[in-house]
């Protein structure tokens, strides 16, 4: 009888430990999922739609976080920040006269700015993934700008789309500069310039 009760107690203890371990595991996964959804926001949903699998999505995003922690990122000093800020203003200022060139220069400037901050700048998708860890909202603009830029290389983009591309690049430049909008006070942003010159710049 004592042996039987001892076996029952052992079984109950094992079951209890298994339940506790399961609850702890599920709680940990739920917290991890909530952390990833909070950190990546729209990028979580975009990746989920792409993979079609929640675990695969979370594994990818967790890998991005781990890789991002290993990057040797740095802040820009005042001179560098002013330099990139001035270059961006020239990109904006040249938009009306040459919107195609402005998009090309905006894309190149983003790559240089990322390099200066310490980001690796291999293929575009890698750049977007690295940016998404700190700037999950801005990376959506970066993807949109890159799509327009790629389409523009084949001559399939109108001026309004080019304006949207430069505006989207501006969001990323703004984030990488760690400051306010890199925009002139004389209303010469692509948005205002294009509105003022609609008849001249639209096909």
């Amino acid at each position: 009888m004592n042996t039987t009760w001892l076996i029952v107690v052992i079984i109950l203890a094992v079951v209890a430990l298994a339940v506790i371990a399961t609850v702890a595991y599920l709680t940990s996964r739920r917290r991890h999922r909530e952390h990833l959804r909070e950190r990546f926001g729209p990028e979580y949903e975009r990746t989920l739609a792409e993979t079609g699998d929640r675990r695969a999505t979370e594994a990818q995003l967790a890998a991005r976080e781990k890789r991002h922690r290993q990057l040797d990122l740095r802040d820009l000093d005042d001179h560098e920040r002013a330099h990139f800020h001035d270059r961006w203003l020239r990109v904006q200022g040249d938009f009306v006269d040459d919107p195609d060139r402005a998009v090309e220069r905006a894309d190149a400037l983003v790559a240089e700015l990322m390099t200066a901050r310490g980001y690796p700048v291999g293929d575009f998708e890698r750049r977007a993934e690295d940016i998404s860890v700190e700037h999950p909202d801005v990376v959506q603009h970066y993807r949109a700008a890159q799509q327009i830029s790629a389409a523009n290389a084949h001559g399939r983009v109108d001026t309004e789309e080019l304006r949207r591309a430069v505006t989207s690049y501006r969001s990323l430049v703004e984030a990488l500069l760690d400051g306010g909008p890199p925009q002139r006070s004389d209303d010469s942003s692509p948005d205002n310039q294009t509105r003022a010159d609609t008849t001249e710049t639209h096909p």
Side-chain angles (χ1 to χ4, degrees), residues 49-198:
E50 186 178 83
T51 65
D53 182 272
R54 196 170 296 278
R55 288 196 177 190
T57 293
E58 291 166 4
Q60 284 189 25
L61 298 181
R64 290 189 203 181
E65 279 191 315
K66 181 179 179 180
R67 188 174 67 208
H68 188 272
R69 287 194 294 270
Q70 297 171 345
L71 297 178
D72 186 21
L73 301 181
R74 56 180 288 271
D75 293 331
L76 301 176
D77 60 34
D78 291 342
H79 175 75
E80 291 172 311
R81 192 172 187 279
H83 169 72
F84 282 111
H85 180 272
D86 289 344
R87 287 182 59 190
W88 174 256
L89 293 180
R90 288 197 292 272
V91 170
Q92 284 195 156
D94 293 342
F95 178 81
V96 172
D97 293 332
D98 194 347
D100 293 274
R101 178 61 176 160
V103 170
E104 293 176 5
R105 291 178 60 201
D107 187 62
L109 179 59
V110 164
E112 289 185 45
L113 185 47
M114 289 183 66
T115 299
R117 290 290 310 277
Y119 286 97
V121 287
D123 62 278
F124 167 75
E125 192 55 39
R126 171 64 186 271
R127 297 199 304 270
E129 288 179 359
D130 289 339
I131 286 293
S132 73
V133 178
E134 286 190 359
H135 307 290
D137 294 316
V138 172
V139 76
Q140 309 304 311
H141 296 292
Y142 189 28
R143 292 184 191 279
Q146 186 70 18
Q147 289 176 354
I148 294 173
S149 180
N152 187 50
H154 296 88
R156 298 194 300 265
V157 177
D158 61 24
T159 303
E160 179 61 21
E161 289 179 297
L162 294 175
R163 182 192 66 79
R164 286 199 296 270
V166 174
T167 300
S168 294
Y169 279 122
R170 183 179 63 198
S171 298
L172 182 54
V173 170
E174 181 179 321
L176 292 171
L177 287 176
D178 288 327
Q183 184 173 338
R184 289 179 176 176
S185 60
D186 60 0
D187 290 330
S188 58
S189 70
D191 305 67
N192 294 326
Q193 288 180 330
T194 305
R195 291 193 194 101
D197 294 85
T198 301

